[in-house]
Amino acid sequence: MERRVVITGMGAITPIGNNIAEFWDGLKNGKNGINFITRFDTAESKVKCAGEVKGFDPATVVDKKEVKRNDLFSIYAMAAADEAVKMSGINLDEIDRERLGVIIGSGIGGLCTIEEQATKMATKGMSRIAPMFIPMAISNMAAGNVAIRFGAKGTCLDVVTACASSSHSIGEAFRSIKHGYTDYIIAGGSEASVCKLGIGGFAALKALSTSEDPDRASTPFDKERGGFVMGEGAGILFMETLESAKARGAEIIAEIVGYGSTCDAYHITAPASEGAARAMKAAMAEAGIDKTEVGYINAHGTSTPANDSTETKAIKEAFGDHAYNLNISSTKSMTGHLLGATGAVEAIASILALKNGIIPPTIGYKVPDEECDLNYTVNEAVKRDIKYALSNTLGFGGHNGVLCLKKWEE
């Protein structure tokens, strides 16, 4: 028997807030979390801006010894998971922890640790590589650390599908609970790649914005958009069956009702509209809803020329004339692109929009693009009572992940 899956806890570390309350306050008020890079000297870089997490103290999550033994992406994941589990109100001592899983994706893992240790090896020799280099660098360690933290002995996975990683993580968690393989899952994504290697690598691809104006660096759907802005952080959901949530009297935040996962099978970096459209259709089909029931799409909306026009086309292919009735926004205009964490953070943004009846805006928008002619909810949030929302995520390699979320109603 298929089971209904609900969300009872959320946690977020983002460029516009280090918990859910701060994140939502930033979203609804159109706060720009993008500014000049402080992590390294950008004198040699054409890229000057990023969405850095601000005011975060890793020592509040793990002790000082463990700070040195974990990459920041793992620490972000643990911090967001702490908030999600606490919000859920669950007493983990009262459940079978073999039925508690963790699925947390990261597109790159400990990239800044890789940069640091490779530099050390090149300048000081192989013998100077840190003993904990590999455990710090490998991308599964966000999931592993969270599982250890909460004694989660069920499925423990790291989904790696580039920028779609955490949407796929949540989608696979949904299916695992829905079909009875697991009862509870801590799911989402984490990334911390604001370093010379991360910025330099994407800059070499000509993928990043070179704007020196933080207010015009990430401008999704704007005709003058010139590339994405790298962000960092983590988004985590606590997911469980409706039956278990009701039995323990938990506050239910939202329900996940559909998941679409497709591949473009087209190009390693360029998107194709057909694959994304199929993913949106698949998510709605699993939810058992008509396209006219969807009121909001949190778009992938990276602010690259190819993505935004292609995604606009995909939305039209999936929704037909109803595409023009949707509120669409790209919260990357505020946070930047959190790579493997972006899907989870944007799923949380979609859940908050459903819960509060407020559509977060696409900020920094000035110049309309004739190829991007939908309602992108520009510059200011709008009130709209919506029942269903889609969260779109498209990754290099042609990976598409779409989540269909439902406002909680008894």
PDB file of all heavy atoms in Angstrom, residues 236-248:
ATOM      1  N   ILE A 236      17.691  21.048   4.639  1.00  0.00           N
ATOM      2  CA  ILE A 236      17.368  19.701   5.110  1.00  0.00           C
ATOM      3  C   ILE A 236      15.890  19.628   5.496  1.00  0.00           C
ATOM      4  O   ILE A 236      15.363  20.530   6.155  1.00  0.00           O
ATOM      5  CB  ILE A 236      18.219  19.309   6.331  1.00  0.00           C
ATOM      6  CG1 ILE A 236      19.719  19.367   5.999  1.00  0.00           C
ATOM      7  CG2 ILE A 236      17.824  17.928   6.846  1.00  0.00           C
ATOM      8  CD1 ILE A 236      20.215  18.316   5.026  1.00  0.00           C
ATOM      9  N   LEU A 237      15.236  18.530   5.103  1.00  0.00           N
ATOM     10  CA  LEU A 237      13.862  18.243   5.492  1.00  0.00           C
ATOM     11  C   LEU A 237      13.821  17.003   6.376  1.00  0.00           C
ATOM     12  O   LEU A 237      14.583  16.063   6.161  1.00  0.00           O
ATOM     13  CB  LEU A 237      12.994  17.978   4.261  1.00  0.00           C
ATOM     14  CG  LEU A 237      12.894  19.066   3.198  1.00  0.00           C
ATOM     15  CD1 LEU A 237      12.028  18.586   2.043  1.00  0.00           C
ATOM     16  CD2 LEU A 237      12.348  20.353   3.788  1.00  0.00           C
ATOM     17  N   PHE A 238      12.919  17.004   7.353  1.00  0.00           N
ATOM     18  CA  PHE A 238      12.593  15.774   8.077  1.00  0.00           C
ATOM     19  C   PHE A 238      11.282  15.272   7.496  1.00  0.00           C
ATOM     20  O   PHE A 238      10.249  15.945   7.579  1.00  0.00           O
ATOM     21  CB  PHE A 238      12.462  16.000   9.585  1.00  0.00           C
ATOM     22  CG  PHE A 238      12.381  14.707  10.348  1.00  0.00           C
ATOM     23  CD1 PHE A 238      13.527  14.074  10.778  1.00  0.00           C
ATOM     24  CD2 PHE A 238      11.150  14.098  10.598  1.00  0.00           C
ATOM     25  CE1 PHE A 238      13.465  12.856  11.454  1.00  0.00           C
ATOM     26  CE2 PHE A 238      11.077  12.893  11.264  1.00  0.00           C
ATOM     27  CZ  PHE A 238      12.240  12.263  11.705  1.00  0.00           C
ATOM     28  N   MET A 239      11.327  14.081   6.893  1.00  0.00           N
ATOM     29  CA  MET A 239      10.196  13.517   6.181  1.00  0.00           C
ATOM     30  C   MET A 239       9.751  12.231   6.860  1.00  0.00           C
ATOM     31  O   MET A 239      10.575  11.450   7.334  1.00  0.00           O
ATOM     32  CB  MET A 239      10.593  13.237   4.721  1.00  0.00           C
ATOM     33  CG  MET A 239      11.089  14.475   3.994  1.00  0.00           C
ATOM     34  SD  MET A 239      11.925  14.132   2.406  1.00  0.00           S
ATOM     35  CE  MET A 239      10.610  13.328   1.501  1.00  0.00           C
ATOM     36  N   GLU A 240       8.441  12.008   6.888  1.00  0.00           N
ATOM     37  CA  GLU A 240       7.913  10.797   7.516  1.00  0.00           C
ATOM     38  C   GLU A 240       6.534  10.480   6.955  1.00  0.00           C
ATOM     39  O   GLU A 240       5.969  11.254   6.172  1.00  0.00           O
ATOM     40  CB  GLU A 240       7.841  10.961   9.035  1.00  0.00           C
ATOM     41  CG  GLU A 240       6.926  12.090   9.515  1.00  0.00           C
ATOM     42  CD  GLU A 240       6.986  12.272  11.031  1.00  0.00           C
ATOM     43  OE1 GLU A 240       6.567  11.347  11.754  1.00  0.00           O
ATOM     44  OE2 GLU A 240       7.452  13.349  11.469  1.00  0.00           O
ATOM     45  N   THR A 241       5.988   9.346   7.352  1.00  0.00           N
ATOM     46  CA  THR A 241       4.639   8.998   6.907  1.00  0.00           C
ATOM     47  C   THR A 241       3.615   9.880   7.593  1.00  0.00           C
ATOM     48  O   THR A 241       3.816  10.343   8.726  1.00  0.00           O
ATOM     49  CB  THR A 241       4.304   7.530   7.223  1.00  0.00           C
ATOM     50  OG1 THR A 241       4.266   7.358   8.640  1.00  0.00           O
ATOM     51  CG2 THR A 241       5.313   6.574   6.615  1.00  0.00           C
ATOM     52  N   LEU A 242       2.522  10.102   6.896  1.00  0.00           N
ATOM     53  CA  LEU A 242       1.414  10.847   7.501  1.00  0.00           C
ATOM     54  C   LEU A 242       0.932  10.133   8.754  1.00  0.00           C
ATOM     55  O   LEU A 242       0.630  10.780   9.769  1.00  0.00           O
ATOM     56  CB  LEU A 242       0.271  10.980   6.490  1.00  0.00           C
ATOM     57  CG  LEU A 242      -1.028  11.613   7.011  1.00  0.00           C
ATOM     58  CD1 LEU A 242      -0.785  13.039   7.489  1.00  0.00           C
ATOM     59  CD2 LEU A 242      -2.102  11.589   5.918  1.00  0.00           C
ATOM     60  N   GLU A 243       0.880   8.818   8.708  1.00  0.00           N
ATOM     61  CA  GLU A 243       0.419   8.031   9.855  1.00  0.00           C
ATOM     62  C   GLU A 243       1.267   8.283  11.089  1.00  0.00           C
ATOM     63  O   GLU A 243       0.744   8.513  12.190  1.00  0.00           O
ATOM     64  CB  GLU A 243       0.448   6.539   9.493  1.00  0.00           C
ATOM     65  CG  GLU A 243      -0.059   5.629  10.594  1.00  0.00           C
ATOM     66  CD  GLU A 243       0.042   4.161  10.210  1.00  0.00           C
ATOM     67  OE1 GLU A 243       0.904   3.805   9.389  1.00  0.00           O
ATOM     68  OE2 GLU A 243      -0.748   3.362  10.756  1.00  0.00           O
ATOM     69  N   SER A 244       2.589   8.269  10.932  1.00  0.00           N
ATOM     70  CA  SER A 244       3.458   8.474  12.095  1.00  0.00           C
ATOM     71  C   SER A 244       3.365   9.895  12.618  1.00  0.00           C
ATOM     72  O   SER A 244       3.371  10.134  13.827  1.00  0.00           O
ATOM     73  CB  SER A 244       4.912   8.118  11.752  1.00  0.00           C
ATOM     74  OG  SER A 244       5.470   9.047  10.837  1.00  0.00           O
ATOM     75  N   ALA A 245       3.280  10.865  11.697  1.00  0.00           N
ATOM     76  CA  ALA A 245       3.181  12.262  12.124  1.00  0.00           C
ATOM     77  C   ALA A 245       1.910  12.495  12.924  1.00  0.00           C
ATOM     78  O   ALA A 245       1.927  13.166  13.974  1.00  0.00           O
ATOM     79  CB  ALA A 245       3.214  13.183  10.908  1.00  0.00           C
ATOM     80  N   LYS A 246       0.793  11.936  12.455  1.00  0.00           N
ATOM     81  CA  LYS A 246      -0.472  12.089  13.179  1.00  0.00           C
ATOM     82  C   LYS A 246      -0.452  11.364  14.513  1.00  0.00           C
ATOM     83  O   LYS A 246      -0.958  11.873  15.524  1.00  0.00           O
ATOM     84  CB  LYS A 246      -1.628  11.594  12.311  1.00  0.00           C
ATOM     85  CG  LYS A 246      -2.038  12.567  11.219  1.00  0.00           C
ATOM     86  CD  LYS A 246      -3.344  12.131  10.583  1.00  0.00           C
ATOM     87  CE  LYS A 246      -3.943  13.232   9.727  1.00  0.00           C
ATOM     88  NZ  LYS A 246      -5.251  12.860   9.163  1.00  0.00           N
ATOM     89  N   ALA A 247       0.148  10.193  14.537  1.00  0.00           N
ATOM     90  CA  ALA A 247       0.164   9.380  15.764  1.00  0.00           C
ATOM     91  C   ALA A 247       0.900  10.084  16.892  1.00  0.00           C
ATOM     92  O   ALA A 247       0.524   9.944  18.062  1.00  0.00           O
ATOM     93  CB  ALA A 247       0.800   8.027  15.476  1.00  0.00           C
ATOM     94  N   ARG A 248       1.916  10.863  16.558  1.00  0.00           N
ATOM     95  CA  ARG A 248       2.674  11.537  17.617  1.00  0.00           C
ATOM     96  C   ARG A 248       2.280  13.012  17.766  1.00  0.00           C
ATOM     97  O   ARG A 248       2.921  13.747  18.523  1.00  0.00           O
ATOM     98  CB  ARG A 248       4.178  11.389  17.385  1.00  0.00           C
ATOM     99  CG  ARG A 248       4.704  12.021  16.128  1.00  0.00           C
ATOM    100  CD  ARG A 248       6.187  11.686  15.900  1.00  0.00           C
ATOM    101  NE  ARG A 248       6.726  12.449  14.792  1.00  0.00           N
ATOM    102  CZ  ARG A 248       7.199  13.689  14.881  1.00  0.00           C
ATOM    103  NH1 ARG A 248       7.206  14.317  16.050  1.00  0.00           N
ATOM    104  NH2 ARG A 248       7.674  14.319  13.835  1.00  0.00           N
TER     105      ARG A 248
END
